[in-house]
Amino acid sequence: LGIRMPYFLCVGTIEPRKNLSRVMEAFAQLRLRGSPHRLVLVGKAGPLAAPILAAVTRLGLDDAVQFTGFVADEDLAALYSGATAFVYPSLYEGFGLPPLEAMSCGCPVITSNCSSLPEVVGAAELQVDPYDVPALTAAMERLMTNHALADELRHQGLERASGFTWQRCIEQTALACEQALTTRRAAPVRTQ
């Protein structure tokens, strides 16, 4: 893919709810401070991607941001593993699979402190207010400069990710369905 290190990584459809405009603003601040990092965005452009794509030029980041489009799973694992951090300050998510993927590859994660994301990452990763660009900039800078913190988050993330398996998902879903059926059968019948 021609990606040069070091880099921050974002994965997902290029769309407003992924909060990529604020990621670019935070990244632009790091570049102004002399960071050699690049920003790699993996995913297809959604129908509302135009302002996000335009932000690259508006912020003077044409030489520092790389859009890859779709990436196969085996290549994606390598991208997660090589990143300084995975940046995912999404405004809302149903679950948030990309942070879990990043953690399972040993990549430190910066994510939102809202929606379903705190439940996914637990205390294993950095969480920020997704509307707070200075906080996002500071979190990115911390992982660039504090290697002990980055290593700690790698280890905690791997441990956290190990608790999420498809087998456990199947078991928990079956249990929830069984409990719902049992509750339904035990409920009194109402008559009008």
Side-chain angles (χ1 to χ4, degrees):
L1 298 172
I3 296 169
R4 294 191 318 267
M5 297 176 87
Y7 62 91
F8 289 102
L9 179 66
C10 299
V11 175
T13 303
I14 310 300
E15 61 185 353
R17 77 178 174 96
K18 299 298 184 182
N19 206 18
L20 295 172
S21 293
R22 287 187 184 89
V23 171
M24 286 191 211
E25 289 174 29
F27 180 67
Q29 290 302 308
L30 293 177
R31 294 290 289 191
L32 288 174
R33 297 175 190 172
S35 170
H37 279 69
R38 299 181 55 72
L39 179 62
V40 177
L41 293 105
V42 174
K44 298 184 288 185
L48 302 175
I52 299 162
L53 301 174
V56 175
T57 300
R58 179 177 52 81
L59 294 167
L61 299 172
D62 291 306
D63 64 333
V65 175
Q66 182 174 349
F67 292 91
T68 67
F70 173 81
V71 171
D73 288 344
E74 54 274 9
D75 295 327
L76 187 55
L79 287 176
Y80 281 128
S81 297
T84 297
F86 177 64
V87 185
Y88 200 76
S90 184
L91 299 174
Y92 57 90
E93 290 294 325
F95 175 74
L97 194 56
L100 186 57
E101 291 175 340
M103 290 189 303
S104 69
C105 290
C107 183
V109 173
I110 300 167
T111 194
S112 301
N113 63 0
C114 62
S115 188
S116 64
L117 295 165
E119 184 179 348
V120 174
V121 301
E125 305 299 338
L126 295 181
Q127 298 176 32
V128 298
D129 177 340
Y131 296 97
D132 188 342
V133 173
L136 182 56
T137 305
M140 293 169 77
E141 191 166 41
R142 281 181 71 196
L143 289 178
M144 278 176 23
T145 59
N146 187 335
H147 301 293
L149 174 62
D151 286 343
E152 180 182 335
L153 293 179
R154 277 186 193 87
H155 294 296
Q156 289 177 355
L158 285 166
E159 185 175 322
R160 175 78 178 171
S162 71
F164 290 88
T165 66
W166 286 115
Q167 183 60 40
R168 184 166 181 251
C169 178
I170 291 166
E171 291 167 0
Q172 293 294 316
T173 301
L175 179 62
C177 291
E178 183 179 307
Q179 288 172 343
L181 286 172
T182 302
T183 302
R184 175 87 170 129
R185 287 183 194 132
V189 176
R190 295 182 188 208
T191 57
Q192 296 286 341

